[in-house]
Amino acid sequence: QTSVRTLPTIKPTRDLRTRLLAASQGMSDAESRDLNHFIDLLERCLTLTPEKRITPTEALKHPFFTQRSLAR
């Protein structure tokens, strides 16, 4: 027998963006831009609603992959 249980949504005390940006002190402009693209991509990949979540094809076209700085 299959059962469905609804779980309550718990809001995090600090969001992903806040945690990652806190560690970005001293980064160059290019590194900060890459970090912001990375954060945006992660947030879009981790969206709970499937209809709003980024698709693999869209993810590969994301600026994190297409506009990486050449400072590496």
Side-chain angles (χ1 to χ4, degrees):
Q1 178 182 10
T2 302
S3 64
V4 176
R5 186 172 74 174
T6 303
L7 300 174
T9 302
I10 300 171
K11 296 241 179 203
T13 55
R14 290 174 56 192
D15 66 314
L16 179 64
R17 181 175 296 276
T18 302
R19 287 176 181 238
L20 290 173
L21 289 177
S24 70
Q25 299 295 333
M27 286 187 174
S28 69
D29 288 343
E31 290 171 327
S32 294
R33 186 172 40 256
D34 286 347
L35 178 62
N36 280 312
H37 287 314
F38 176 67
I39 292 168
D40 180 63
L41 177 63
L42 273 182
E43 288 176 340
R44 295 179 72 191
C45 288
L46 298 174
T47 300
L48 294 178
T49 309
E51 297 80 27
K52 294 181 180 180
R53 191 177 310 132
I54 194 170
T55 66
T57 302
E58 292 168 336
L60 290 173
K61 295 177 184 174
H62 190 276
F64 179 72
F65 295 114
T66 62
Q67 297 178 8
R68 296 294 300 267
S69 69
L70 299 175
R72 298 188 203 304

